[in-house]
Amino acid sequence: MHNFQPKTLFLGKNIVYLPSCHSTNDIAAEKIQNESIFDGTVVITSDQTAGRGQRGNSWEALPGQNITMSVILKPDFLSASSQFQLNIAVSLGVHDFLSRYIPEGLSIKWPNDIYVGNRKMGGILIENTLAGSRISHAIAGIGLNINQLSFSDSKAISLRLATRQDEFDLEQLIGDLCVSLEKYYLQLKNGHAATQKKQYLQHLFRYQENHYFKKDGIRFIGKIVDIASNGMLMIEVDGIIEHFDFKEVSFEI
């Protein structure tokens, strides 16, 4: 899963492949600490034994069947207060890549999960290193269910299940994913954050719809109306717009 050259300018030109590892994000972080690493380096594994998601959740992935990778970026053009712009760009890159196979029903669940209908296909975990007021390094961990056909969680789905196609070539998919990620990353670098935010909202799971949410164990009905510049979710509740951080609110699905 590493003998390929994506058609990109820089992203994915340097590949670090590990047959098995605990977490590609952890390996990427070690390399940033101990090596001079190229911008756009991709760490890939066939078997991630301790993958992480948002809120400290684990990520279930059978060996050799899915995409488990981390991209090392150097977005020093972004301030610490603009970190969520990178989440948006990476999420759009993943959405763009998958939309070639899933033209309908694909969405981004805030802050950066990938859903098909009400079922989760993938997740993104971005970990930033700051230097003063700028982002010196970012690690974008991406887990996508591709060829796996069974999950312990009934809400999980894979690309193969969603499309009912035969087994996908993971190397080809990773190369195509790198192209999409680079496209949106360079758009962000070239000053298109506002346009990307509009696209993100267009693809946002349950945007402008009334649904149940939960905070501190209490269910309430609200409508997602926007994303704040710091990434907080803006939900209209009883005519009042409230702001929620990543761990403050959950979706009732």
Side-chain angles (χ1 to χ4, degrees):
M1 201 190 295
H2 59 292
N3 294 318
F4 64 95
Q5 282 294 319
K7 297 176 182 179
T8 57
L9 296 174
F10 71 98
L11 200 150
K13 293 300 187 183
N14 184 42
I15 300 289
V16 177
Y17 173 72
L18 300 164
S20 177
C21 76
H22 52 291
S23 163
T24 55
N25 264 34
D26 287 350
I27 297 298
E30 291 171 10
K31 290 193 169 294
I32 290 172
Q33 287 286 330
N34 302 318
E35 303 176 23
S36 177
I37 202 78
F38 289 106
D39 194 12
T41 292
V42 176
V43 180
I44 307 172
T45 187
S46 298
D47 182 15
Q48 184 168 246
T49 58
R52 306 193 309 280
Q54 292 286 352
R55 307 172 192 268
N57 295 333
S58 61
W59 179 256
E60 174 192 0
L62 292 178
Q65 297 189 24
N66 306 296
I67 292 177
T68 43
M69 59 183 264
S70 295
V71 182
I72 298 173
L73 298 167
K74 298 181 179 180
D76 54 6
F77 58 91
L78 284 177
S79 66
S81 61
S82 301
Q83 292 182 59
F84 198 73
Q85 291 179 10
L86 184 61
N87 287 57
I88 289 175
V90 173
S91 297
L92 288 174
V94 174
H95 185 280
D96 176 71
F97 156 69
L98 288 172
S99 64
R100 303 168 201 173
Y101 305 94
I102 306 171
E104 296 181 0
L106 185 68
S107 64
I108 302 168
K109 177 175 167 286
W110 177 86
N112 42 27
D113 283 337
I114 304 298
Y115 267 58
V116 179
N118 288 324
R119 300 174 73 181
K120 183 176 178 177
M121 178 173 286
I124 300 161
L125 178 64
I126 298 182
E127 297 174 309
N128 296 317
T129 301
L130 303 181
S133 63
R134 317 299 292 182
I135 303 175
S136 62
H137 291 86
I139 301 169
I142 300 169
L144 295 175
N145 300 326
I146 302 297
N147 289 319
Q148 191 165 327
L149 295 178
S150 62
F151 298 89
S152 58
D153 185 350
S154 62
K155 293 178 182 176
I157 192 171
S158 67
L159 183 60
R160 193 172 171 191
L161 286 171
T163 60
R164 300 182 180 180
Q165 293 187 29
D166 294 333
E167 188 169 331
F168 289 90
D169 183 323
L170 291 179
E171 283 197 357
Q172 178 184 335
L173 291 190
I174 293 171
D176 291 344
L177 175 57
C178 286
V179 171
S180 289
L181 290 171
E182 183 182 79
K183 170 186 171 183
Y184 283 90
Y185 180 72
L186 291 178
Q187 280 184 5
L188 176 62
K189 189 174 183 178
N190 290 325
H192 297 286
T195 299
Q196 290 193 349
K197 182 186 174 183
K198 290 179 182 177
Q199 289 179 292
Y200 182 85
L201 291 174
Q202 289 171 359
H203 299 312
L204 194 61
F205 181 68
R206 293 184 172 175
Y207 179 56
Q208 294 287 2
E209 299 175 3
N210 287 306
H211 283 282
Y212 279 104
F213 298 86
K214 185 182 283 187
K215 180 184 179 182
D216 299 328
I218 299 174
R219 296 175 81 217
F220 65 92
I221 294 177
K223 179 171 66 176
I224 298 172
V225 294
D226 205 349
I227 304 291
S229 59
N230 60 1
M232 294 182 79
L233 187 65
M234 298 169 62
I235 302 177
E236 184 179 320
V237 184
D238 295 328
I240 299 173
I241 296 176
E242 300 186 22
H243 291 65
F244 297 90
D245 209 344
F246 300 132
K247 298 182 180 180
E248 288 183 334
V249 66
S250 60
F251 291 68
E252 292 285 277
I253 298 174

